[in-house]
Amino acid sequence: MDRSNQTSPMVGFILLGLSAHPGLEKMFFVLILLMYLVVLLGNGVLMLVTTLDSHLHMPMYFFLGNLSFLDICYTTSSVPLILNSFLTPRKTISFSGCAVQMFLSFAMGATECVLLSMMAFDCYVAICNPLRYPVIMSKAAYVPMAISSWAAGLTTSVVQTLQAMRLPFCGDNIINHFTCEILAVLKLACADISINVISMVVANVIFLAIPVLFIFVSYMFIIATILRIPSAEGRKKAFSTCSAHLTVVVVFYGTILFMYGKSKAKDPLGADKQDLSDKLISLFYGVVTPMLNTIIYSLRNKDVKAAMKKLIHQKHLTE
């Protein structure tokens, strides 16, 4: 192979984004910017109330604080690049910048998969073993659980990013995406990517299949326990404990499964329509889902709403 055609780390890549649909760029710039601001503000407030309100110093809200910080990091790893692509005629990113962005987005996504399963276990203990909850979910247990979620996500991201970016790249160096999404980058490789594919499959099993199975089993036990509660009010109160988490899980994994599991058959209206659809689904996963997380936890959790009202009241008193 003529290595003169390979990408130099100094040259980097060109991001297509919505270049083929310039009429959509201004509209999506406003929409994404507004959603990004909601993500920053909403998750920032959630982090603040779970830290300052002593009534929320429990495992559930410790995990929620981690989830809020994770969503801020995840969107920040990609949204500024997306917004810039809507304003810049030539959308380029350096080789090192691409590697950093890929690492951060992959790490945050993998970490959230594990963290949501940890939160499912917390719900399981709270509903199925309420008397032993303080012992099982002690600080010595839930802090290492959160740390292990971050460690697992960061570790797999290092492996996947190094494997992807060590490959030789050639051709036009054009990534048909908003960001350096790992699957889009691998398409540009001029070498055998079978190792990368195997590694991605293993990562999908560990960070998607196993957490989904764990969450499913946890909620089977939770539902069975709730159905055994004699009073309707008791069942409602028990379900409300985990309803926000269950909603977030459905939105998060539902979007992933739709994005990666939908049919890849050729669209009779053309490949361009299919590419646009993939990109818009990616935007939903990367921006809308983190925004929905904060809205869901703000609206469906009485303790969080009470803490927010208390924080606003205290602010008014100090002014």
Side-chain angles (χ1 to χ4, degrees):
M1 180 186 299
D2 182 6
R3 300 187 64 89
S4 62
N5 287 332
Q6 293 179 9
T7 301
S8 167
M10 299 301 293
V11 175
F13 301 95
I14 298 172
L15 300 170
L16 280 188
L18 289 176
S19 299
H21 308 273
L24 296 176
E25 290 189 324
K26 291 183 179 179
M27 180 185 71
F28 273 98
F29 176 85
V30 175
L31 288 175
I32 302 262
L33 178 60
L34 290 176
M35 288 189 288
Y36 181 50
L37 292 177
V38 172
V39 170
L40 294 180
L41 179 62
N43 284 291
V45 170
L46 282 176
M47 288 175 59
L48 189 64
V49 297
T50 55
T51 302
L52 297 181
D53 195 316
S54 59
H55 295 95
L56 300 183
H57 289 177
M58 297 184 291
M60 178 193 302
Y61 300 108
F62 176 76
F63 288 131
L64 177 56
N66 274 265
L67 182 64
S68 297
F69 178 67
L70 191 153
D71 281 340
I72 289 175
C73 292
Y74 181 75
T75 52
T76 302
S77 72
S78 60
V79 171
L81 183 63
I82 294 172
L83 292 175
N84 180 67
S85 73
F86 291 147
L87 300 176
T88 309
R90 186 172 176 80
K91 315 165 199 311
T92 59
I93 184 171
S94 67
F95 189 90
S96 58
C98 185
V100 170
Q101 192 276 318
M102 180 189 296
F103 165 77
L104 290 174
S105 61
F106 200 100
M108 298 304 107
T111 301
E112 184 158 353
C113 290
V114 181
L115 188 64
L116 287 175
S117 68
M118 298 295 183
M119 295 173 76
F121 179 74
D122 177 67
C123 288
Y124 161 76
V125 178
I127 300 297
C128 301
N129 295 281
L131 298 179
R132 298 184 60 200
Y133 182 81
V135 177
I136 298 175
M137 294 304 296
S138 64
K139 189 173 183 179
Y142 68 76
V143 171
M145 287 169 66
I147 292 175
S148 64
S149 300
W150 284 93
L154 293 171
T155 301
T156 191
S157 185
V158 168
V159 172
Q160 299 298 334
T161 303
L162 288 178
Q163 286 184 334
M165 302 312 285
R166 69 173 178 77
L167 293 169
F169 299 98
C170 57
D172 296 328
N173 309 331
I174 297 175
I175 299 176
N176 190 17
H177 211 277
F178 296 107
T179 62
C180 289
E181 202 271 336
I182 189 167
L183 296 179
V185 172
L186 289 177
K187 292 179 180 178
L188 306 181
C190 301
D192 181 19
I193 61 170
S194 57
I195 298 298
N196 302 76
V197 172
I198 294 172
S199 181
M200 287 287 291
V201 170
V202 172
N204 285 339
V205 170
I206 296 174
F207 291 94
L208 285 177
I210 293 178
V212 166
L213 179 61
F214 185 84
I215 292 170
F216 177 79
V217 172
S218 297
Y219 271 98
M220 288 299 99
F221 282 107
I222 289 171
I223 292 171
T225 301
I226 291 175
L227 292 177
R228 288 198 296 267
I229 299 175
S231 68
E233 184 63 27
R235 290 194 296 271
K236 182 180 178 182
K237 184 178 180 181
F239 182 74
S240 66
T241 302
C242 299
S243 60
H245 172 262
L246 181 59
T247 306
V248 167
V249 166
V250 171
V251 172
F252 179 78
Y253 284 107
T255 308
I256 291 178
L257 292 175
F258 182 74
M259 183 166 58
Y260 290 107
K262 64 189 181 69
S263 173
K264 296 296 182 181
K266 289 185 178 181
D267 193 313
L269 297 181
D272 183 63
K273 184 173 179 284
Q274 183 69 49
D275 289 339
L276 178 61
S277 172
D278 291 342
K279 292 174 185 178
L280 295 182
I281 293 170
S282 173
L283 276 182
F284 181 89
Y285 171 69
V287 185
V288 179
T289 302
M291 182 186 70
L292 290 178
N293 287 355
T294 183
I295 294 175
I296 290 167
Y297 271 105
S298 299
L299 297 179
R300 297 185 63 87
N301 192 293
K302 294 180 180 179
D303 292 335
V304 172
K305 287 191 287 187
M308 287 181 176
K309 291 178 181 178
K310 181 180 176 181
L311 186 66
I312 293 172
H313 179 67
Q314 289 176 343
K315 185 177 184 299
H316 287 163
L317 291 177
T318 56
E319 289 179 351

